Structure formats: structure tokens, C-alpha cells
Amino acid sequence: MTYVAEDIICQAPAGRLEGAAAFRGFMGPFVQIVTSSSLIAAFGDDEKAVVMYDTGTVPVKDAPGAECVTVRDGKITHMRIIFDRVPFDEARRAAATG
Amino acid sequence: MTYVAEDIICQAPAGRLEGAAAFRGFMGPFVQIVTSSSLIAAFGDDEKAVVMYDTGTVPVKDAPGAECVTVRDGKITHMRIIFDRVPFDEARRAAATG
């Protein structure tokens, strides 16, 4: 993930993540469970972009997300990511109760 | 809400809403609880736009959202809206257990 600045700030549904290590700790496990993805929309200019996408994941079949990223010197310095945690929580509970 | 097509399709976290009446049933109550809002990003072209915003609401202090809207003949015919339902569910549970 060399496209991420070392001092990236990521505002995610569960809270604020500071630094590339925290960001990787959040995004890495997600990337592992993605089985498909398709772009809904992508717009931006030289320093800011917004993308919206559908993903299919192992626990949640339909998991759309939206990101607003700020880029400086070719690296993402800020990300605001929005997705619904409810289906992931439900899948976790279902897995826990078997 | 005259900016909405009568046959609008809205894909929301809880599911698919068909038609302006269903859309108003979803968006109307939300608009009632909004206390503040600010735009994070807005991009688009002649037929599609993506907006990301922060809202403050009565039950949830920080409730960001993202929308991708398709516009035809000056009216929104399709909306994809993404937000995290978890804090709203938590607020509802907290209110119920009072």
C-alpha cells in the first residue's frame, strides 16, 4: 500500500485511524474478504476524489462503500470512508451463534 | 421534493425503495432530525453526481452519508445512498431502554 502516506488520517465508521499502520490494520483484513467489486461512480480533481463502489465479500454479499480521498504528492493523506456496518455485525453474530 | 422523479429508485442501506412516496417515507423523517450539515465533497457531470456530507442529527451527533444520484430531465431518477446504520440503531436501543 505504497499509495498511502505514512501520516494518513482515515475517518472510518468505527472512528479515526492515524497513520499507515493503523490504516493497514483496518483495510488489510477487508481486502482479504473481498470476492468482487464494481465501481458505481468516480469523480475528482487534482487533489480530491470521491469513489462509490459495490463489493461482494465473504460474510456480506452486498457491501457498498464510498470514499473521499485527499491526495498530496501522489499519496493519500486523508480518507473518509462510509459504509454500513450493520450487515457485517449481523454476519459476525450469526457466525458466533453458529 | 419536486426534484424527485415519481418513479425514483433508491437503494438505501435497508433495501430498495421504489417510487417517490416510498422515497419520501424514508427521507422525510431523516430531514426532520437533521440539526446541521456540511458538504465534504460534491462532483458530477450532466447526468450523475456524487455527494458526501456530514450531518448532525438529534439522535446521532456525527452521521456522514454519501449519495450517488442520476438525474434525467432535471429530476433524480436513481439514488444510491450509503450511511452507517449502527449509530442510529444504538441510539434507538438507548432510547428504548431509557
Side-chain angles (χ1 to χ4, degrees), chain B residues 11-53:
Chain B
Q11 288 173 268
R16 182 184 168 95
L17 302 162
E18 301 194 11
F23 179 76
R24 289 186 189 106
F26 163 68
M27 205 56 100
F30 178 72
V31 170
Q32 300 285 324
I33 60 169
V34 170
T35 54
S36 66
S37 68
S38 66
L39 204 58
I40 297 170
F43 289 105
D45 55 30
D46 285 348
E47 74 171 27
K48 206 189 240 188
V50 174
V51 292
M52 187 178 280
Y53 46 81

Side-chain angles (χ1 to χ4, degrees), chain A:
Chain A
M1 293 191 198
T2 53
Y3 56 86
V4 165
E6 280 307 307
D7 61 348
I8 185 174
I9 301 291
C10 177
Q11 288 173 268
R16 182 184 169 95
L17 302 162
E18 303 195 10
F23 179 76
R24 289 186 190 106
F26 163 68
M27 203 56 99
F30 178 72
V31 170
Q32 300 285 326
I33 59 168
V34 170
T35 55
S36 67
S37 68
S38 65
L39 204 59
I40 298 170
F43 289 105
D45 56 29
D46 284 348
E47 75 171 26
K48 206 190 241 189
V50 175
V51 291
M52 187 179 281
Y53 47 81
D54 267 317
T55 63
T57 72
V58 174
V60 177
K61 218 177 66 176
D62 182 27
E67 298 174 13
C68 177
V69 297
T70 306
V71 175
R72 204 165 303 140
D73 299 328
K75 304 215 175 204
I76 297 174
T77 57
H78 188 271
M79 178 186 289
R80 183 80 185 239
I81 180 167
I82 300 175
F83 62 91
D84 183 21
R85 286 178 293 169
V86 163
F88 289 96
D89 288 356
E90 285 172 352
R92 202 172 296 123
R93 273 197 297 273
T97 59

